[in-house]
Amino acid sequence: MSKKIVSDLGVTGKKVLMRVDFNVPMKDGKITDDNRIVAAIPTIKYVLDNGGKIIAFSHLGKVKTEDDLKTKSLKPVAERLSEILKMPVEFIPDTRGKELEDAVNALKNGEILMFENTRFEDLKDKKESKNNPELGKYWASLGDIFVNDAFGAAHRGHASNLGIASNIGKGNTAAGFLMEKEIKFIGEAVDSPVRPLIAILGGAKVSDKIGVIENLLVKADKILIGGAMMFTFLKALGKNVGSSLVEEDKLELAKSLFDKSYGKLVLPIDTVVAKKFENDSPYKTVSVDSIPSDEMGLDIGAGTIELFSKEIAKAKTVIWNGPMGVFEMPNFAKGTIGICEAIANLKGATTIIGGGDSAAAAISLGYGEKFTHISTGGGASLEYLEGRDLPGVSSISDK
Ligand code: ADP
Ligand code: MG
């Protein structure tokens, strides 16, 4: 189903409620990475340039104690947004009340204000996170239309997305440009991919990714498995995996996923092993049939990189979630680099990364520009890959 985009709504002279994902990392009251603010700029600019009045809001971390009200204020975020936009961004240090209402009514066309962390409402009764009906209704009453650009929060049905969308009136909710990209790339890749669709799954745990594996077993033409999760599969198939990370309680599940995959699941043929979980631990590449009992697999081997690269070379769509090895340690990053390289060499294919660490890996290894789309939402992109309905997406008005 095709969803409304901000450019499908008339914004001129309108009070535009805008849910953004400004859940940025902070240290000692300072923003350490403003990527999420930068990513929302196209939508914000579009509305301002077209004479809309923006009321912007976001969550920041989790709010459980009075102390969180001091450390999790969005004030520094509003200041950074103002620097980036090179214009004033009025900050209202509350999530409701007269000051906020007066400020909203005083907004002129092309002006923007931001209010406080939506999760300040969680301190009592978790009003934001439990989608308290009064709260969604109240926030919706502050504006004329609702633009949701917070894909990173779309897997949650909170007052600041679902609650507002349910109360703002039919046809009045649209996706921002960031949300549009996520729906387009992940949504299309999973629902109507140009084939062959090759999925590459890795990362720490099978248990985190069961839903993703199950959905992609149906949708994808091949699934290449790397990362620590490969050892749960290998052990389930009767191999000795030494001291590699294994989820003993998922062995049966891994076996049954493998058996019902009809050859779609491709497992590594070799692995890079070391005695210790340390970059400086001496390492070597061994066949998955001869992993020493006192060593652990920390990466896929060169033979597997070659095998996987051949599969990737046939792809018209690639979905990647989860690094192939402990990419944070340079000696065990080669598998992840090899896969980045194979994807970078693809021509005319749509290539997508979903997952926080996978995105960080590709970017830190220098391949950020080589992908068609790197998802901004860790948890949300995983749930989207599982084929689940995301409340933040489904509550956007249909075209
Ligand atoms: P994402 O955030 O992209 O969904 P995950 O959180 O599932 O990815 O997994 C990322 C983590 O998996 C990384 O920190 C990486 O070091 C770890 N990892 C990958 N391969 C192994 C391995 N063989 N042994 C232990 N940890 C691994
Ligand atoms: Mg992760």
Side-chain angles (χ1 to χ4, degrees), residues 29 83 87 99 169 188 220:
E83 285 165 25
M87 65 179 280
E99 187 185 354
E188 280 178 12

Side-chain angles (χ1 to χ4, degrees), residues 202-322:
K205 291 185 184 163
V206 178
S207 50
D208 290 343
K209 309 282 168 80
I210 294 166
V212 179
I213 301 172
E214 284 179 331
N215 188 38
L216 292 178
L217 267 179
V218 178
K219 305 280 171 67
D221 297 290
K222 279 271 160 69
I223 301 186
L224 317 177
I225 301 272
M229 68 157 79
M230 69 190 251
F231 300 104
T232 300
F233 280 97
L234 292 170
K235 184 160 185 184
L237 298 179
K239 297 195 197 295
N240 177 10
V241 297
S243 55
S244 307
L245 208 62
V246 166
E247 284 170 279
E248 295 289 341
D249 61 334
K250 292 291 173 287
L251 289 172
E252 240 165 81
L253 175 84
K255 177 83 170 67
S256 85
L257 286 171
F258 188 83
D259 288 342
K260 70 177 184 198
S261 82
Y262 303 106
K264 278 189 184 179
L265 271 187
V266 184
L267 292 173
I269 52 174
D270 57 359
T271 174
V272 181
V273 295
K275 283 211 164 58
K276 291 193 185 136
F277 191 80
E278 285 167 11
N279 186 53
D280 295 333
S281 186
Y283 59 91
K284 61 182 180 214
T285 302
V286 298
S287 153
V288 294
D289 293 311
S290 49
I291 299 175
S293 297
D294 59 343
E295 304 211 19
M296 62 182 88
L298 296 175
D299 199 4
I300 56 173
T304 305
I305 297 175
E306 201 186 323
L307 174 72
F308 284 6
S309 299
K310 277 191 189 141
E311 293 292 345
I312 292 167
K314 299 177 205 157
K316 285 280 184 292
T317 307
V318 174
I319 297 176
W320 184 8
N321 170 260

Side-chain angles (χ1 to χ4, degrees), residues 39-40 149 160 178 183 191 199 218 228 258-259 289-290 333 358 377:
D149 212 15
S160 65
L178 191 60
I183 299 174
D191 294 330
V218 178
F258 188 83
D259 288 342
D289 293 311
S290 49
S358 322

Side-chain angles (χ1 to χ4, degrees), residues 10 12 18 98 173 184 190 249 293 306 355 374:
T12 315
M18 192 181 291
K98 186 162 187 317
T173 299
K184 179 175 160 45
V190 175
D249 61 334
S293 297
E306 201 186 323
I374 298 186

